[in-house]
Amino acid sequence: MDLSNRVAIVTGSGRGIGRAIALKLAEVGATVVITDIDEALAGNVVEEIKTMKRQSLAVVADVSSLPDVTKLVDETTAAFGKVDILVNNAGITRDHLLLRMSEEEWDKVLNVNLKSVFLCTKAVLRHMVKQRWGRIISIASIVGIVGNPGQANYASAKAGIIGFTRTIAKEVGSHNVTVNAIAPGFIDTEMTQRLKEELREEIRRRIPLNSFGSPRDVAEAVAFLASEEARYITGQVLNVDGGMAGAWM
């Protein structure tokens, strides 16, 4: 895979899966724009990329806000002249059983996890359609496929990403823009490491490959879908889950 001369935006890339995706795209040659609500985290990833002799830029943005998304894309094109790849990775959780879930918790998760995908995709598509090349990759979740108690908001947002992906792929395919999603399973990140050990072990036993994924596993899939090797793949959802979704269904 060679992404030299490609410019990528990765949302929520200050840590975890987003950081791994940004570093992998830089590793295979891309210029990467790091965006996060945490300026320090975003700046740290930029410095890591610069040690790889790649160009990078940090833009602090709330990607559920239209003005912030406009700023993000404008600063990217001002600095690098174009945007070729968008990775919609930003996401949060606010878990509760539905009867205990507040309207604020519902709205916040839908805004950050799903509305951001709408805003960012719409903003970059104008550039991709004009240049007749683009890759949009959104991070969904197996929870959006199989559901999960206590995550009605999160599962709804991730299921929405899947429907959005399949629809936009049909709308922009004639412009040589591909639109795909990745549905990770249980990935070993700071968030999942906070779970109780007995729960982690119970989850692990339900994974056919008998292990948790790493952020790098997701990043490798993103890099493939962003590459020329994946030019004939669009409207698809790739599960990166060790077989977990099939085991739960």
Side-chain angles (χ1 to χ4, degrees):
M1 293 178 286
D2 182 6
L3 296 179
S4 299
N5 301 316
R6 298 298 184 190
V7 177
I9 295 173
V10 183
T11 70
S13 44
R15 68 176 76 188
I17 291 173
R19 172 181 170 274
I21 291 168
L23 294 176
K24 177 61 185 181
L25 294 179
E27 180 185 311
V28 294
T31 294
V32 186
V33 176
I34 306 301
T35 182
D36 203 282
I37 58 172
D38 189 312
E39 183 175 9
L41 289 176
N44 289 341
V45 180
V46 167
E47 291 307 312
E48 286 185 82
I49 291 173
K50 287 182 176 179
T51 66
M52 302 162 64
K53 308 301 182 185
R54 305 295 187 195
Q55 288 184 292
S56 187
L57 171 70
V59 179
V60 177
D62 171 2
V63 287
S64 67
S65 159
L66 177 56
D68 279 19
V69 169
T70 301
K71 178 189 75 168
L72 167 63
V73 176
D74 286 350
E75 290 191 17
T76 299
T77 55
F80 304 118
K82 60 176 182 170
V83 54
D84 300 299
I85 299 161
L86 168 67
V87 183
N88 289 306
N89 168 76
I92 62 169
T93 57
R94 296 289 186 272
D95 296 350
H96 279 300
L97 294 174
L98 185 61
L99 290 177
R100 297 177 182 173
M101 185 177 293
S102 68
E103 183 179 3
E104 180 184 1
E105 289 167 335
W106 174 272
D107 288 345
K108 184 66 173 178
V109 169
L110 268 290
N111 284 339
V112 174
N113 293 30
L114 182 57
K115 183 182 177 183
S116 67
V117 175
F118 160 71
L119 292 176
C120 292
T121 300
K122 184 176 180 180
V124 302
L125 268 180
R126 294 186 176 93
H127 299 277
M128 293 178 177
V129 166
K130 184 176 181 179
Q131 69 195 23
R132 296 193 61 80
W133 199 98
R135 299 285 189 266
I136 296 170
I137 303 151
S138 299
I139 306 303
S141 170
I142 64 161
V143 168
I145 299 171
V146 303
N148 195 37
Q151 291 193 310
N153 48 5
Y154 186 77
S156 296
K158 295 303 186 179
I161 288 174
I162 292 170
F164 181 87
T165 293
R166 289 175 170 153
T167 299
I168 306 308
K170 295 177 186 296
E171 292 186 5
V172 300
S174 62
H175 299 283
N176 198 34
V177 177
T178 67
V179 188
N180 292 289
I182 291 173
F186 193 95
I187 305 299
D188 208 0
T189 63
E190 290 180 20
M191 183 184 299
T192 57
Q193 287 167 3
R194 290 196 292 268
L195 296 175
K196 293 182 179 179
E197 186 57 37
E198 53 268 31
L199 177 57
R200 286 170 55 88
E201 181 60 23
E202 179 185 342
I203 294 170
R204 186 189 61 76
R205 287 197 299 267
R206 300 178 70 178
I207 301 172
L209 288 184
N210 199 39
S211 65
F212 306 136
S214 72
R216 178 79 178 196
D217 293 322
V218 180
E220 294 283 354
V222 170
F224 168 68
L225 290 175
S227 71
E228 280 297 328
E229 287 83 347
R231 68 170 192 85
Y232 203 58
I233 301 172
T234 196
Q236 303 303 308
V237 180
L238 174 60
N239 291 356
V240 180
D241 67 349
M244 193 174 185
W248 279 25
M249 293 176 74

